Amino acid sequence: QVQLVESGGELVQAGGSLRLSCAASGVTFSAYAMGWFRQAPGKEREFVGAIGWNGSTTYADFVKGRFTISRDNAKSTSYLQMNSLKPEDTAVYYCAATLSSARLGVAGGYVYWGQGTRVTVSS
């Protein structure tokens, strides 16, 4: 059965860093593009960034160089490195998988989703 499990979410002070992980099982990981999304209370789920099967990356404008997405196919894991965290980064972060790379920034294009990991950034 396909499963994506996020981990690494913590309470962190503004300016700090976190690395989130998304471990996949039940899929041929290397064939999937992996997206990262986040959802803050009262807001829609928004795109953070994604990495294709070939390692190419794309990011939302708000990232502004602070976040980096990577993948380790041997470990079937995608990573979201977040630096210079701000209180507005507080959200539940989700990873997702898709075989289509046409519209990686659109949540509806992803078939598989993790349960999310909570990131809280305090000022």
Side-chain angles (χ1 to χ4, degrees):
Q1 185 174 2
V2 175
Q3 186 175 19
L4 305 179
V5 180
E6 303 94 337
S7 62
E10 299 178 3
L11 172 65
V12 63
Q13 294 184 7
S17 298
L18 286 174
R19 188 179 74 161
L20 307 184
S21 298
C22 174
S25 62
V27 299
T28 303
F29 182 78
S30 61
Y32 284 80
M34 299 297 299
W36 285 91
F37 294 78
R38 70 184 188 184
Q39 188 165 24
K43 297 183 178 180
E44 295 183 352
R45 188 168 299 186
E46 64 179 345
F47 176 70
V48 175
I51 185 167
W53 63 268
N54 62 353
S56 62
T57 55
T58 184
Y59 300 96
D61 290 340
F62 70 80
V63 170
K64 298 185 184 299
R66 297 185 299 128
F67 296 177
T68 302
I69 295 172
S70 61
R71 67 189 297 160
D72 186 338
N73 288 342
K75 298 180 179 180
S76 295
T77 301
S78 174
Y79 303 96
L80 174 61
Q81 177 68 47
M82 303 187 293
N83 301 321
S84 301
L85 285 163
K86 306 173 182 179
E88 52 262 44
D89 294 319
T90 295
V92 176
Y93 284 73
Y94 299 88
C95 68
T98 180
L99 287 172
S100 175
S101 61
R103 301 181 68 187
L104 294 177
V106 180
Y110 292 81
V111 177
Y112 304 111
W113 292 83
Q115 295 297 310
T117 185
R118 187 177 302 276
V119 172
T120 302
V121 184
S122 62
S123 60

